[in-house]
Amino acid sequence: MSDNFDVIVIGGGPGGYPAAIRAAQNGLTVACIDGWRNRDGSPAFGGTCLNAGCIPSKALLESSELLHRAQHEFAAHGLRVEGIAMDIAKMQQRKANIVRQSTQGILALFKAAGVTPLQGRGRLLAGRQVEFTDHAGQMRRLQARQVVLASGSEPMALPGVPFDGDRIVDSWGALEFQEVPPRLCVIGAGVIGLELGSVWRRLGAETVVLEALEQLLPMADGQVAKEAARHFKRLGLDIRLGARVTAAVVGEKEVTIRYTDAKGEHSVVVDRVVVAIGRRPFTAGLLGEDTGVQLDARGFIEVDEHCRTTAAEVWAVGDCVRGPMLAHKAREEGVAVADRIAGRYAEVNYRAIPGVIYTAPEIAWVGQNEEQLRAAGRAIKTGSFPFAASGRARAMEAPAGFCKIIADAGSDEILGVHVIGPMAGELIAEAVLAMEYSASSEDLQRTIHAHPTLAEAMHEAALAVDKRAIDALNR
Ligand code: FAD
Ligand code: NAD
């Protein structure tokens, strides 16, 4: 095998593997180096997303949601379920199978595209040389014309609450519990805290979520955050805001978490603790001497708007660079870089990156929220439509939440769309497309939506922007 490639991608997550495939589609010779190893030591492409993030978390969210619905919704359908039982081992096995299918799929895609997969560690050296060390410790020097760094991120640790891989775990550990912890403490009410807190709460864990900020979901629209808080409370997630964790005392059978809030000092005694206070860029061992690649003050690889690093012909994408830590953002950057390398035009629209939180109800948004727009002094108009007024949502026994559209008061251009409700993560795609094409609320108003669908809520919310909704009161 040649040691010279047009492109070497370091990192095989949702930033790296699509970059490698697109570069190969563009007729370039490509190698993708990935160092991921599973708990049993086996290597796997796919990075955090496929192995320990998006995919396994969604598998468990689905299983636990089905249990919750069987327990709490089926009766309303006239379905009596007796003696429903949980088999966590089976649930975890299903999740593991889905992960394996997905990660092995990448190898098949590489083969079809002609990408050389290299499993082991990659280290960028000066002059776009790459030192590759396989999992057996064998080292090789490779040469690339262009290098794409896609090394991802890792969980942040909380001083005083050290991970021990057993009682105090990160999100990966929380996806691997083999039994439901009777009492669980999640530190951080961010996306991971709410998703994984929901999983284990639905499966029966008494769940306390400690959040340092006084506000829940500050990045979401205020009305959405308020509605979400009601649903989390109804689920039984005990979210305590303004809670600053000071220490963890690990006993033989339990962990005591000490925290302070405005009212003083408190403690909570639990069986397991999940620390989910954010992630930081992972670049350990990635850069040799004199590569010219610079990191910023927070440890992210410095890039410009086209993902060019400070070194010529070296690019970086995904969680290791600025911007939201989302798989689809990483993917778009990876693909765009592979096209730019081949001399093709490519653009990532950072103003239209959707965010989805896969709780029940789901939460999804794109663009700016009402608070941000008002703070910026922008003249806006808004329209909302409740799922309670949607025939399809009622038929699904899922009438919670609403769809909200914010448009510029003058031009009518859509500036933000915020959904909390059934399948919000699917519904938001229409809003992303609308914003990608600078659509106005009138454009959505004039678009025919099939009946009866949840998507009609988007249509009605657009009509409500001009107080012309048909199926709801126009306030
Ligand atoms: P990663 O996926 O982290 O991949 C980087 C890869 O590079 C890894 O395999 C790593 O081992 C490898 N690597 C690093 N350094 C080297 C080196 N020197 N040599 C060789 N290999 C190296 N995002 C969403 O959009 N939707 C979700 O629903 C979602 N759910 C999530 C749930 C959880 C529990 C977590 C933790 C994250 C979730 N995310 C989600 C975030 C998402 O996983 C990340 O944004 C995404 O994986 C980033 O992709 P990446 O390619 O930049 O990095
Ligand atoms: P996050 O930034 O979403 O949330 C972390 C939360 O922890 C914040 O609310 C923060 O205020 C709080 N916090 C920080 N320090 C704390 C402390 N000492 N005590 C208590 N609370 C504290 O981070 P995350 O939930 O860990 O997720 C990491 C990344 O993974 C995010 O960037 C997210 O976008 C991504 N992710 C995305 C999805 C999705 O798209 N559905 C799902 C999971 C993870």
Side-chain angles (χ1 to χ4, degrees):
M1 190 187 69
S2 164
D3 287 345
N4 289 292
F5 295 91
D6 291 326
V7 181
I8 295 180
V9 181
I10 304 181
Y17 88 78
I21 291 175
R22 174 55 58 88
Q25 286 170 345
N26 286 336
L28 302 169
T29 56
V30 188
C32 182
I33 302 175
D34 185 76
W36 186 276
R37 293 182 94 166
N38 290 311
R39 293 269 150 96
D40 62 3
S42 59
F45 278 94
T48 307
C49 169
L50 269 69
N51 290 289
C54 320
I55 301 305
S57 61
K58 268 75 244 179
L60 292 184
L61 277 156
E62 191 66 26
S63 300
S64 60
E65 173 67 0
L66 283 179
L67 175 72
H68 190 78
R69 291 178 64 191
Q71 289 169 332
H72 300 278
E73 245 175 72
F74 278 19
H77 288 269
L79 300 171
R80 248 194 331 270
V81 187
E82 273 150 25
I84 189 160
M86 237 187 311
D87 182 343
I88 295 283
K90 181 99 196 265
M91 201 179 279
Q92 290 288 20
Q93 193 54 53
R94 187 189 88 96
K95 180 203 77 184
N97 291 344
I98 293 163
V99 167
R100 196 173 326 101
Q101 278 166 10
S102 311
T103 58
Q104 286 180 350
I106 294 179
L107 278 172
L109 292 172
F110 277 176
K111 194 166 176 206
V115 173
T116 301
L118 296 172
Q119 289 178 303
R121 307 290 306 167
R123 183 181 179 81
L124 178 68
L125 307 176
R128 275 164 282 110
Q129 286 204 336
V130 174
E131 185 182 273
F132 166 62
T133 310
D134 70 17
H135 290 308
Q138 290 278 8
M139 199 185 281
R140 265 168 68 189
R141 281 272 170 104
L142 310 174
Q143 179 69 50
R145 273 200 314 111
Q146 310 261 350
V147 174
V148 182
L149 305 173
S151 57
S153 62
E154 61 179 349
M156 290 204 288
L158 181 58
V161 192
F163 295 121
D164 64 9
D166 177 28
R167 295 202 168 271
I168 303 178
V169 299
D170 61 15
S171 54
W172 194 7
L175 289 164
E176 299 293 324
F177 290 158
Q178 295 304 315
E179 54 194 42
V180 181
R183 298 164 300 176
L184 179 68
C185 176
V186 180
I187 303 178
V191 192
I192 292 182
L194 294 171
E195 289 187 356
L196 296 185
S198 294
V199 164
W200 294 107
R201 172 67 203 133
R202 290 168 188 162
L203 296 177
E206 239 177 63
T207 306
V208 174
V209 184
L210 300 177
E211 167 58 50
L213 298 179
E214 296 286 351
Q215 193 190 349
L216 182 68
L217 294 176
M219 66 290 204
D221 186 87
Q223 280 177 300
V224 168
K226 216 164 134 195
E227 174 82 3
R230 273 191 333 109
H231 291 284
F232 296 143
K233 192 166 179 194
R234 190 177 304 160
L235 172 65
L237 274 183
D238 178 0
I239 301 176
R240 303 181 190 174
L241 299 175
R244 303 211 142 264
V245 174
T246 51
V249 183
V250 181
E252 221 166 88
K253 291 209 171 116
E254 50 196 28
V255 188
T256 305
I257 295 290
R258 302 221 167 95
Y259 69 94
T260 58
D261 64 13
K263 291 194 187 124
E265 289 186 15
H266 311 270
S267 61
V268 51
V269 180
V270 294
D271 303 286
R272 302 237 187 197
V273 179
V274 181
V275 179
I277 57 165
R279 295 175 64 86
R280 62 166 179 225
F282 178 72
T283 54
L286 178 69
L287 302 172
E289 298 284 304
D290 302 323
T291 61
V293 174
Q294 281 172 18
L295 304 185
D296 70 15
R298 295 186 303 152
F300 289 94
I301 297 172
E302 215 171 284
V303 287
D304 65 10
E305 71 273 27
H306 302 299
C307 293
R308 280 187 296 237
T309 70
T310 44
E313 325 291 357
V314 180
W315 312 72
V317 302
D319 280 12
C320 64
V321 306
R322 78 305 172 248
M325 287 185 171
L326 294 172
H328 41 282
K329 175 262 191 186
R331 179 189 180 93
E332 289 309 309
E333 287 183 335
V335 167
V337 160
D339 280 340
R340 283 176 197 135
I341 286 173
R344 290 168 187 250
Y345 171 79
E347 187 91 18
V348 175
N349 183 356
Y350 289 97
R351 290 182 312 280
I353 298 177
V356 181
I357 307 178
Y358 296 81
T359 46
E362 268 182 20
I363 299 165
W365 67 85
V366 59
Q368 291 182 279
N369 63 43
E370 188 167 343
E371 291 72 24
Q372 289 165 335
L373 288 162
R374 291 210 187 278
R378 193 89 185 242
I380 55 171
K381 48 184 183 171
T382 68
S384 291
F385 185 80
F387 284 102
S390 152
R392 184 70 194 276
R394 283 199 303 261
M396 291 169 67
E397 198 60 28
F402 56 85
C403 181
K404 171 174 173 179
I405 296 181
I406 310 173
D408 185 274
S411 70
D412 192 35
E413 182 176 347
I414 296 172
L415 303 174
V417 178
H418 305 269
V419 186
I420 176 166
M423 308 299 273
E426 305 296 328
L427 296 177
I428 205 68
E430 178 183 7
V432 179
L433 187 68
M435 288 191 65
E436 183 65 35
Y437 288 94
S438 308
S440 61
S441 83
E442 188 187 344
D443 289 326
L444 277 193
Q445 292 172 20
R446 292 182 182 279
T447 305
I448 298 174
H449 291 69
H451 175 78
T453 57
L454 295 172
E456 285 172 300
M458 193 73 81
H459 189 209
E460 286 284 319
L463 289 164
V465 168
D466 288 329
K467 308 272 180 274
R468 290 159 66 84
I470 301 292
D471 282 321
L473 303 178
N474 289 289
R475 295 204 176 101

